[in-house]
Amino acid sequence: MSQTTAAPPSAGTGSSEQGAAPAAVPGARTAPASAADRAIKRQRVLDVLDAKGADSLLLTTHTALTWYLDGSRMHISLAGDPIAALLVDRRGDHLVTFNNEAGRIAAEELPSGVDLYTVQWYGNLHEAASAVGRSAGVSAAPLAEGEVAAELRAARQQLLPAESARYGRLGAEVAEIMTDVLSTARPETSEFELVSALAARVVAAGAEPLVLLCNGSSRSEFRHPLATHSPLGRRAMAVVCARRDGMVANITRWIRFDAGTAEERDAEARIAAVEADIFDATVPGAQLDRIFAEIKAAYARHGFGAEQWEQHHQGGPAGYAGRDPRVTAAATDTVVLNQAFTWNPSGPGVKIEDTVQLTESGLQVLTADPRWPATAVNGLQRPLTLEL
């Protein structure tokens, strides 16, 4: 076959040109996709097609693919491009992958009702997926993701029941991992030792550690501290961004081996107050640019200075990307119920971060472990520094 021609599908049965999916074995993975959630997601994409007067859309990014397929893994390298592309058209959903990936995808990642096509490992996924539409007599090229980026982001905002449940389980497990690992740390523990223990637990939970950060007391001025061989010293911060079934849970925690200074405790309380103001602004119907304006005002209000927001990104909506998108003055997306967020205000030597979901009863913290010390801030339990 040529580089751009996909082999025919197997009628959406989960088999490929390499043969039928092998029999299930104990502990083997099955695609987590919910049929009910998938149907809603497909209708949301069809609505985008209707609004654009188009017949098909080509999904090519990790964020879009894992969202639309409802939790299928479409990566090999965490730093690489997806190993599949998906054409959504009026007939159905058509996934094209490389011939050397098709067997595993059919067995472990393919939701029901999705046709699977293959192209040689040296072929072009995007061209092959587009050719699937042409073979059905569709002359117009499919819409590219970039042409409907805002519309797809809006389609992802409101999390559906099954994916909300998966996200909640992931958040709770990541919080438990942080408690377990950080509780065993000592001043002489190195930053690398701490993040390697976190990574081991994240992978054992069936997730991918997308971000692992740590700074000991000698490096507390860095907002994005990649780990080093430095010992933790008297206090430390750890950050984990873990992805499972396409969804990313983000969390920051602090530990120290003394009572802390008065200045540290004051800054910790003030950064929690900044976060509380951001939470108060995160309500249905709010625009992200208006929330961003409130973030800037909150820093000044709580004594961090009017320009502190410039020293680090402030977070934003979460879910199938670490931030979807990062909030800026140019982000005008509107907040909706059941949307997830990870805000992360920070100041010199302080930072607070959890993944939350906006529900009918208010914000629910997903990355929470009742064993971690916490205090009520505006009625919501927020993490304190763990003193060891």
Side-chain angles (χ1 to χ4, degrees), residues 41 59 61-75 156 163 166 243 245-247 320-321:
K41 292 179 179 184
L59 302 180
T61 67
H62 288 295
T63 299
L65 287 165
T66 55
W67 166 74
Y68 188 74
L69 294 173
D70 206 34
S72 299
R73 299 176 300 181
M74 292 291 120
H75 72 277
R156 292 192 293 268
E163 63 188 343
R166 292 198 300 270
R243 182 177 67 188
D245 300 328
M247 309 192 81
Y320 288 89

Side-chain angles (χ1 to χ4, degrees), residues 269-289:
R270 288 187 292 113
I271 204 66
V274 171
E275 183 195 52
D277 288 352
I278 302 172
F279 285 161
D280 285 347
T282 307
V283 295
Q287 286 192 182
L288 293 184
D289 57 341

Side-chain angles (χ1 to χ4, degrees), residues 82-373:
I83 44 80
L86 184 86
L87 184 75
V88 182
D89 64 17
R90 308 291 178 176
R91 300 169 298 146
D93 301 327
H94 316 283
L95 187 71
V96 178
T97 190
F98 297 117
N99 63 310
N100 59 315
E101 307 290 354
R104 179 185 58 81
I105 286 181
E108 300 176 345
E109 307 293 345
L110 192 69
S112 62
V114 178
D115 292 332
L116 182 64
Y117 300 71
T118 61
V119 65
Q120 296 288 24
W121 60 264
Y122 50 82
N124 186 303
L125 287 173
H126 300 183
E127 290 181 9
S130 297
V132 170
R134 290 195 299 273
S135 68
V138 178
S139 58
L143 287 174
E145 271 193 53
E147 297 178 75
V148 288
E151 291 86 351
L152 286 176
R153 203 162 58 239
R156 292 192 293 268
Q157 286 178 313
Q158 188 173 56
L159 299 183
L160 297 167
E163 63 188 343
S164 292
R166 292 198 300 270
Y167 208 17
R169 289 192 295 271
L170 173 63
E173 288 181 45
V174 172
E176 291 169 0
I177 288 169
M178 282 291 236
T179 301
D180 290 345
V181 172
L182 269 61
S183 295
T184 68
R186 297 294 178 263
E188 62 273 17
T189 302
S190 76
E191 295 167 351
F192 273 136
E193 287 172 332
L194 191 69
V195 298
S196 65
L198 289 169
R201 287 289 303 276
V202 168
V203 173
E208 298 111 29
L210 300 185
V211 177
L212 292 169
L213 303 176
C214 181
N215 60 16
S217 54
S218 66
R219 305 175 64 240
S220 60
E221 73 273 19
F222 300 133
R223 309 286 174 110
H224 273 164
L226 293 174
T228 71
H229 289 292
S230 298
L232 300 182
R234 55 172 293 271
R235 69 192 293 257
M237 177 187 76
V239 178
V240 171
C241 301
R243 182 177 67 188
R244 189 169 68 195
D245 300 328
M247 309 192 81
V248 184
N250 312 289
I251 183 173
T252 294
R253 291 292 185 264
W254 288 82
I255 58 174
R256 61 176 163 237
F257 301 96
D258 57 24
T261 67
E263 292 77 13
E264 287 168 355
R265 294 193 299 272
D266 175 66
E268 289 164 359
R270 288 187 292 113
I271 204 66
V274 171
E275 183 195 52
D277 288 352
I278 302 172
F279 285 161
D280 285 347
T282 307
V283 295
Q287 286 192 182
L288 293 184
D289 57 341
R290 302 294 179 86
I291 298 176
F292 187 61
E294 177 58 29
I295 291 172
K296 293 192 288 184
Y299 277 109
R301 186 182 303 127
H302 297 290
F304 286 100
E307 308 304 319
Q308 189 59 228
W309 63 272
E310 296 190 55
Q311 305 307 310
H312 190 265
H313 81 82
Q314 301 303 308
Y320 288 89
R323 304 297 189 276
D324 195 19
R326 285 185 180 180
V327 66
T328 67
T332 58
D333 303 38
T334 300
V335 173
V336 298
L337 274 177
N338 295 322
Q339 189 172 6
F341 297 86
T342 301
W343 303 112
N344 55 274
S346 64
V350 290
K351 178 175 181 278
I352 190 166
E353 177 185 31
D354 272 301
T355 302
V356 303
Q357 187 173 16
L358 181 61
T359 69
E360 290 185 353
S361 57
L363 283 172
Q364 176 186 358
V365 181
L366 303 184
T367 45
D369 181 356
R371 298 174 298 164
W372 192 273

